[in-house]
Amino acid sequence: MIVKENDTHPVEFKANADLTGATVRLTARTRTGEPIDLPCSIVDAGEGLVQHVLTGELPVGTYRVELETTISGAVVTFPNKGYATLTVDRDLD
């Protein structure tokens, strides 16, 4: 997923699981940086959709992103292999 710096809109991430009754945590990290917790909420539990609303404050860069879910006490991280990618590109102005 690619967004521009200063964007302030929702972005969605999908877990390949039903998230009914789950709690979720969305974490982003550059290859050399500290993890950043991104506030998120489940928007469609049955489809496994989680939404984060961009605040325009995420620095330009490429982030590896993972969604950690807790369902009935079991922690499952999505994607199961590798990471999702969020790229924040520089705005032209």
Side-chain angles (χ1 to χ4, degrees):
M1 174 181 318
I2 300 172
V3 299
K4 294 287 184 134
E5 69 180 323
N6 304 314
D7 278 3
T8 56
H9 59 84
V11 291
E12 291 185 348
F13 296 89
K14 183 172 175 60
N16 292 323
D18 184 337
L19 298 179
T20 301
T23 60
V24 294
R25 181 173 164 237
L26 188 63
T27 305
R29 180 181 190 155
T30 63
R31 293 195 187 274
T32 59
E34 293 294 316
I36 302 168
D37 283 328
L38 302 176
C40 65
S41 58
I42 299 170
V43 292
D44 188 332
E47 290 295 318
L49 289 178
V50 173
Q51 183 181 82
H52 165 69
V53 178
L54 295 168
T55 62
E57 297 176 11
L58 200 57
V60 169
T62 299
Y63 298 83
R64 294 184 291 183
V65 179
E66 64 182 18
L67 178 63
E68 183 180 280
T69 65
T70 303
I71 306 169
S72 300
V75 175
V76 180
T77 303
F78 297 95
N80 302 109
K81 182 177 181 181
Y83 304 93
T85 302
L86 174 62
T87 300
V88 180
D89 278 346
R90 191 165 306 282
D91 206 348
L92 290 179
D93 57 358

